[in-house]
Amino acid sequence: MVVCAMLSRMSASARRRLAGLVAWAAFVAVAVSAPASAQVELSGQIGRVDAAGLVGHVGVDLDGGPAPAYEIVRYWNAAGQLDDFAVPGSPAWARFEFYPDSHAYDPWTLAVGGAHIHRDVSMGPNWLTIGDVTLPKLGQAFDGAVGFRIDGTIVSSSDVPDGRVEIDAFQLGTVEFDPFIPPLPRNATGDEIGSFATSTNRGTRWTAGVGWSGRYVLFVRDMATGRRIQAIADIAPGSVPTIDLDAVCFGFYTCQYDHGAPGDTAGTFHPLTPTRVLDTRARLGIRNGPVRTGGGWSPSDSRVVRHDAVVNHELKVTGRFGVPATGVSAVLLNVTAVEAPGPGFVAVRPRRPNCCDDLAIHDDRAAVDPAAPATSNLNVGSPDAVANLVLARVGAGGTISLFNSFGPTHIVADVAGWFDTGSVDPVALGYVGAAPTRVLDTRNGTGGPAHRFEIGETRPVAVAGVAGVPDDASAVVVNITATQAQAAGYVRAFPSGIATPEASSLNFTERADRANLAVVPVGADGRIAVRVDDAATHLVIDVMGAFSPGGDRITAIEPVRVADSRSGLGIPSRKLADGDVVPVHLRGIGRVPAGATAVVLNVTVTQSEGAGYATVFPGGTIAPETSNLNFTGNVDVPNLVLTPVGADGSIAVRNRGVPTHVLVDVLGFVTRANPPAT
């Protein structure tokens, strides 16, 4: 099938891309039996073109049913009259595309844009009579639609010279049978008319010429990387999407990749005072109740029902609560499950682009995977609140997706910071590894008084210049453990010197020691503050690293499992006994590059035979006297771990206590900001 050029200067490859529009435009192609030699006269049947006195072109794209497709280009004069021409063959339908004269057309300055309309033979003997066609004109109304210039922004961590980005825009209409698509304007004969355009960027600006408000399919091509996508976006005055060349789907919520794939980006860290971004109990972030079973896939034939299922499992994290709308590769979230109805797990994943063919871009099921993921972030065994820190790569549309294995559960998430897509800021924060060091233990008086935190008590903990943390660190990585708690409660860690935030860092119970990793901004006095609520408890805090200027960059990836002692993946197929140390080789495995200096892991113990704790540390070194996670009998317990990689490219896991299985998932890796020359 061939589609006519929108502009005579459009390349052949661009014409082929535009041909895809017809392939998934949901037209009814009806074969006809007239001989291939027949002709259909168009003269006098199309009507007049209202283009404000401009001379222009009419492209007629014809589908001949079983016969070959035809493409014809003719002209209209300043009076809007068409030249005479005939259509060969027996077309089943025709698409008419109107655009101002290519030699004078400049989508950046011309006050008139292009338009398209279609007809199919099933409409009867007058199927080619489409009446007058009005092109979108700047500031002028047509059937309630007012023409405006579609002018948007492009962002990237690298230079955006003129011509780097090519854009084709094509307005969709009600032929898509989508209740969420606004209708196109109609002419006197009842035909829908949509706008379209093609252009290249001018610096950090892009345009689709003059158009009407509505839903568009955009073909966006980054000539610098070779990545090409088809995206769907709603466009209106004051609401033109930004193209983020470093983001998945270039920042669009719905897309498919025609060439290339989303790239991994190494970013620096931007800490935030812990802020609540999701609380299904209060309808914050997800507004239609607790997160239901599964990942949002619904078999319903109702698009409204499917949409309700999707939004129950997705959280937009960009453009909110201190996280910018663009330039974000990942977020750091403390995720808590509350009132779970039974044992199970929660997995946090980037929202994936739609896939995998032209038709799927209009299938709202395409971006939702019905299968359970192979990794997890949060394991729940009872209704008690359970939390875990998560490095979450941001997916299509700045959105992350939640998979819940065990039934309607309230989910709470607090954002601790975000990672950019390659900042050139000289004071950007990178990761600085530190040997795990205990800086607080209320059981023996390390770092403060030797007694429990009482309910509502806040204590400062010095961290800057301590335990390998640089003096200029802006945030510190700490593992917080609650032990010997008198009842269920929670811990908040935050910068010293500010009001106590609502966000929590750790939830604990009376029955078990609980640990959670936290990344906490450092106060102006070089300290963090720690507060305990609802129950008195001892606390243990171990420093694991920091973020400071000149540190290394972190790349977040889609989680991948690299070790599982139940199956023998990456480590021996047996439970780890008391004192066992097993190495897990990571460099070159699970997308971890050879140059990685540290890794971000989710480590889980499962099927343990009693109580114990696990320590993760660089391979080939001596295990420190600290812990990363504490566990009890037959309860799955995960924790986020950020640890340097040993000289041999491995990390090690040591078990202290009863035998237990261990799982290791990679969530990201650290690379040097300025690697040495080779």
Side-chain angles (χ1 to χ4, degrees):
M1 185 177 297
V2 182
V3 175
C4 66
M6 291 192 296
L7 300 174
S8 61
R9 60 183 170 85
M10 183 183 289
S11 66
S13 61
R15 288 196 295 270
R16 286 192 296 272
R17 282 190 295 272
L18 194 58
L21 287 166
V22 175
W24 35 261
F27 298 147
V28 179
V30 180
V32 293
S33 58
S37 60
Q39 292 189 344
V40 180
E41 296 290 339
L42 295 186
S43 176
Q45 295 186 18
I46 292 182
R48 192 178 71 86
V49 179
D50 180 6
L54 290 174
V55 175
H57 295 188
V58 181
V60 186
D61 176 54
L62 299 137
D63 182 353
Y70 296 91
E71 179 182 340
I72 299 171
V73 179
R74 288 295 185 268
Y75 306 90
W76 78 77
N77 58 29
Q81 297 171 331
L82 293 165
D83 289 343
D84 293 344
F85 60 98
V87 176
S90 305
W93 59 259
R95 175 183 291 278
F96 300 88
E97 295 165 350
F98 305 85
Y99 44 93
D101 185 274
S102 61
H103 301 292
Y105 179 65
D106 182 355
W108 287 96
T109 60
L110 196 64
V112 176
H116 68 87
I117 191 170
H118 87 276
R119 279 271 167 151
D120 66 72
V121 71
S122 65
M123 299 175 73
N126 296 321
W127 70 287
L128 289 177
T129 304
I130 61 177
D132 289 354
V133 176
T134 299
L135 273 62
K137 295 185 285 293
L138 191 62
Q140 295 188 29
F142 166 53
D143 191 28
V146 179
F148 73 101
R149 189 170 303 283
I150 300 174
D151 185 359
T153 303
I154 298 174
V155 298
S156 175
S157 60
S158 55
D159 291 338
V160 187
D162 289 357
R164 171 176 169 176
V165 181
E166 294 180 349
I167 302 104
D168 296 326
F170 198 100
Q171 190 175 10
L172 300 174
T174 54
V175 292
E176 302 303 330
F177 306 110
D178 185 339
F180 298 103
I181 297 179
L184 293 177
R186 295 178 182 267
N187 63 6
T189 55
D191 292 284
E192 290 189 325
I193 302 176
S195 70
F196 75 102
T198 186
S199 68
T200 58
N201 69 295
R202 290 185 178 178
T204 57
R205 308 298 300 176
W206 71 273
T207 189
V210 177
W212 295 301
S213 297
R215 182 160 294 182
Y216 285 76
V217 60
L218 302 173
F219 294 87
V220 185
R221 301 168 292 281
D222 183 356
M223 308 308 290
T225 64
R227 296 191 183 105
R228 302 195 301 268
I229 69 167
Q230 301 174 38
I232 290 180
D234 292 327
I235 298 177
S239 182
V240 178
T242 295
I243 297 174
D244 186 346
L245 296 176
D246 299 316
V248 176
C249 273
F250 293 168
F252 293 99
Y253 179 77
T254 301
C255 93
Q256 70 174 31
Y257 278 78
D258 289 336
H259 188 269
D264 292 337
T265 53
T268 52
F269 183 60
H270 303 258
L272 296 172
T273 299
T275 304
R276 186 139 296 172
V277 296
L278 171 66
D279 190 339
T280 57
R281 300 168 301 182
R283 298 186 181 275
L284 172 66
I286 294 176
R287 300 181 179 180
N288 56 351
V291 177
R292 305 164 204 155
T293 305
W297 191 89
S298 170
S300 173
D301 291 331
S302 167
R303 199 173 184 91
V304 174
V305 171
R306 296 197 303 268
H307 177 76
D308 181 71
V310 168
V311 300
N312 183 248
H313 292 80
E314 291 188 347
L315 175 66
K316 182 173 175 61
V317 292
T318 57
R320 310 171 65 216
F321 304 106
V323 180
T326 60
V328 179
S329 63
V331 290
L332 200 61
L333 299 172
N334 197 61
V335 181
T336 305
V338 183
E339 302 172 6
F345 68 90
V346 173
V348 182
R349 303 178 289 181
R351 182 188 187 273
R352 68 178 188 172
N354 287 7
C355 65
C356 299
D357 56 36
D358 286 341
L359 289 174
I361 199 167
H362 291 299
D363 181 2
D364 60 349
R365 295 184 177 101
V368 183
D369 189 349
T375 61
S376 63
N377 298 96
L378 194 63
N379 295 78
V380 178
S382 69
D384 296 330
V386 178
N388 195 18
L389 193 65
V390 176
L391 174 66
R393 183 182 181 185
V394 173
T399 302
I400 60 173
S401 176
L402 303 173
F403 184 95
N404 175 18
S405 75
F406 49 86
T409 303
H410 285 297
I411 303 292
V412 177
D414 304 318
V415 63
W418 58 278
F419 294 86
D420 57 43
T421 54
S423 172
V424 295
D425 185 346
V427 296
L429 303 180
Y431 172 70
V432 177
T437 304
R438 188 147 293 172
V439 294
L440 179 73
D441 190 336
T442 61
R443 299 169 301 181
N444 59 25
T446 298
H451 61 77
R452 286 185 175 93
F453 275 76
E454 299 301 329
I455 298 174
E457 182 181 359
T458 301
R459 297 184 197 177
V461 179
V463 289
V466 177
V469 176
D471 292 332
D472 61 350
S474 295
V476 64
V477 183
V478 292
N479 204 64
I480 305 174
T481 304
T483 183
Q484 301 174 25
Q486 295 181 343
Y490 63 96
V491 178
R492 287 181 274 188
F494 51 96
S496 174
I498 71 166
T500 305
E502 290 300 317
S504 62
S505 301
L506 170 68
N507 295 78
F508 58 84
T509 66
E510 180 183 4
R511 297 183 296 276
D513 296 346
R514 287 282 179 86
N516 200 25
L517 195 71
V519 177
V520 187
V522 178
D525 60 358
R527 301 187 296 181
I528 63 172
V530 182
R531 175 187 170 101
V532 169
D533 283 286
D534 286 358
T537 185
H538 281 295
L539 288 185
V540 177
I541 297 181
D542 300 322
V543 167
M544 301 292 180
F547 287 93
S548 68
D552 296 337
R553 298 175 183 270
I554 288 184
T555 300
I557 63 173
E558 189 155 359
V560 58
R561 181 149 294 170
V562 295
D564 188 338
S565 63
R566 299 171 303 180
S567 64
L569 173 67
I571 54 178
S573 178
R574 59 174 175 79
K575 286 185 176 180
L576 277 66
D578 179 33
D580 275 356
V581 176
V582 294
V584 181
H585 290 278
L586 290 174
R587 284 188 184 141
I589 297 174
R591 295 172 64 184
V592 178
T597 60
V599 285
V600 185
L601 309 171
N602 199 69
V603 180
T604 304
V605 295
T606 183
Q607 300 175 23
S608 63
E609 299 176 13
Y613 67 91
T615 302
V616 183
F617 56 99
T621 66
I622 298 174
E625 293 304 316
T626 57
S627 62
N628 293 96
L629 64 163
N630 298 72
F631 55 88
T632 57
N634 205 33
V635 176
D636 296 346
V637 179
N639 202 14
L640 194 74
V641 175
L642 215 173
T643 182
V645 176
D648 62 352
S650 72
I651 58 99
V653 181
R654 183 186 67 180
N655 177 41
R656 294 305 302 267
V658 301
T660 185
H661 280 300
V662 174
L663 320 175
V664 179
D665 301 328
V666 176
L667 308 186
F669 55 84
V670 179
T671 51
R672 292 181 180 176
N674 297 296
T678 56

